[in-house]
Amino acid sequence: MIRVLIADHQPIVSYGIRMLFESSSDIKIVNSVNTKKQLMDYLKKGSIDVVLLSLDFADSNGITILRNIKKDFNEIRVLIFSSQAENIFAANTIKTGASGYLSKSATTATIKRAILKVFKGGIYVSNAMARKLTFEKNKEQTNLYNKLSTREIEVL
């Protein structure tokens, strides 16, 4: 059973994800938090495999929270779950330590597939993003956003 913690500032999103996996036999939503402090306090208790992390919080930035998680709880997989543009944030959040980037417009099946993939040690991005990253790597072209540092993306 994969233990997932939802970290999102929007209660309806947390509730919806919880309902999606209510009858799942392989994924258990153990709790949801909506502030950085609640998240870090919950992680100290242990027993989490994957954090489904939003980039938008009232009390902190998601990238800053990601850095804190990777510094203090490196073994926990973090899947960014955001409505922010994947082409702007995905590569930088993965460089920062995320195990994947998932759009909030994803289907239930995609959410489940992403959680399973990152739990098994993989990196999840959409097929379109994977093609784009592969194409850019092969063509040695760079996107304007890829030239920005993680801190610059965070400020953006």
Side-chain angles (χ1 to χ4, degrees):
M1 178 75 63
I2 302 169
R3 298 161 303 195
V4 178
L5 176 66
I6 303 168
D8 197 298
H9 71 289
Q10 298 173 327
I12 191 68
V13 172
S14 299
Y15 179 78
I17 297 297
R18 185 183 295 270
M19 292 298 105
L20 287 174
F21 292 103
E22 190 171 57
S23 62
S24 176
S25 61
D26 51 357
I27 296 173
K28 179 181 181 188
I29 306 299
V30 295
N31 205 347
S32 59
V33 296
N34 56 22
T35 67
K36 177 184 177 183
K37 181 177 180 354
Q38 289 174 344
L39 172 60
M40 300 311 281
D41 288 347
Y42 200 90
L43 292 178
K44 288 175 187 171
K45 296 177 186 177
S47 303
I48 299 298
D49 299 311
V50 177
V51 173
L52 200 57
L53 176 66
S54 174
L55 288 179
D56 303 312
F57 278 84
D59 65 339
S60 188
N61 178 288
I63 295 174
T64 302
I65 295 171
L66 172 61
R67 278 193 196 107
N68 291 334
I69 293 171
K70 296 318 286 182
K71 182 179 135 234
D72 296 335
F73 310 97
N74 192 43
E75 71 284 354
I76 295 175
R77 309 258 190 248
V78 179
L79 178 59
I80 301 298
F81 188 56
S82 180
S83 57
Q84 301 294 333
E86 182 180 38
N87 65 326
I88 296 173
F89 290 96
N92 278 300
T93 56
I94 290 169
K95 281 193 284 188
T96 303
S99 295
Y101 195 96
L102 182 63
S103 171
K104 284 189 175 177
S105 63
T107 65
T108 304
T110 302
I111 296 169
K112 183 174 183 175
R113 192 169 46 251
I115 291 170
L116 291 170
K117 186 170 187 173
V118 302
F119 175 73
K120 292 177 182 175
I123 301 284
Y124 180 86
V125 291
S126 70
N127 289 335
M129 187 66 181
R131 282 190 301 274
K132 181 180 177 195
L133 292 171
T134 302
F135 176 75
E136 286 180 0
K137 183 177 179 184
N138 290 339
K139 294 291 185 178
E140 296 187 33
Q141 295 176 345
T142 56
N143 181 324
L144 175 63
Y145 299 116
N146 292 340
K147 293 179 182 180
L148 299 176
S149 71
T150 302
R151 177 66 181 144
E152 289 168 329
I153 290 290
E154 189 176 331
V155 170
L156 177 67

